[in-house]
Amino acid sequence: MIDQRYPDRPDAATPFDTLLAKVRYEGAYPTRERAQEVTFQVLAAFGRQLTGDARAALAARLPLEAALEFTGQVPAAEQLTGWGFVKDLALRTGTTPAVARWNAGTVFSALAQLAGPGLLDQILDQLPEGYALLFGRPELRPRQQQAA
């Protein structure tokens, strides 16, 4: 069934409660509220890193609440590496890098399932090194430096 308020959104969009249940279970968070807090923190940080068609395609596959948090962020002028992303997330959320890494990996695991392999490849091709590991994929080849 197509949501009449958002006819362009795919029918396969995961309900927000399902996304939070997945994040809560995978991250072993004690409450739904904590899972939601972590999900929004990671989505906001990731919304500052991803741009273009990959950003729009991922937002279309997210539940509305998650898509609004993700797309409500202005992309940063310069993308962070995966490790830079983790350090920035830790700083913004007042946690350690280890906790931020855990939180990012948990949410990115759910995002990878929503995105599917094709879109995830497109997302990873657009990002600097280090994000594949956060999404649970091995980083098999070194990134090519783009000529300026």
Side-chain angles (χ1 to χ4, degrees):
M1 180 166 137
I2 296 177
D3 187 338
Q4 297 301 316
R5 296 171 297 163
Y6 305 99
D8 295 339
R9 289 183 59 84
D11 186 41
T14 301
F16 189 58
D17 287 335
T18 304
L19 174 63
L20 290 183
K22 186 177 299 188
V23 168
R24 182 177 178 194
Y25 177 78
E26 294 295 326
Y29 299 111
T31 64
R32 179 191 184 281
E33 291 74 23
R34 179 65 182 138
Q36 180 174 326
E37 178 184 14
V38 166
T39 300
F40 281 160
Q41 289 170 344
V42 173
L43 285 171
F46 195 49
R48 290 186 286 276
Q49 297 303 307
L50 195 61
T51 60
D53 292 341
R55 178 186 173 101
L58 179 58
R61 295 185 188 186
L62 293 173
L64 180 60
E65 300 89 337
L68 291 173
E69 185 68 29
F70 175 67
T71 59
Q73 307 304 313
V74 175
E78 189 173 322
Q79 288 180 317
L80 300 171
T81 64
W83 176 237
F85 176 84
V86 168
K87 291 190 302 186
D88 182 65
L89 182 62
L91 183 66
R92 290 175 185 271
T93 60
T95 62
T96 66
V99 170
R101 166 61 178 95
W102 178 264
N103 293 345
T106 300
V107 175
F108 283 176
S109 174
L111 293 183
Q113 290 178 343
L114 288 174
L119 178 55
L120 185 55
D121 286 342
Q122 183 182 351
I123 289 169
L124 292 174
D125 284 345
Q126 181 182 324
L127 294 168
E129 68 181 19
Y131 283 89
L133 293 173
L134 294 173
F135 277 98
R137 282 190 171 181
E139 193 121 32
L140 297 176
R141 58 185 165 82
R143 297 263 179 189
Q144 299 293 327
Q145 293 294 331
Q146 295 180 350

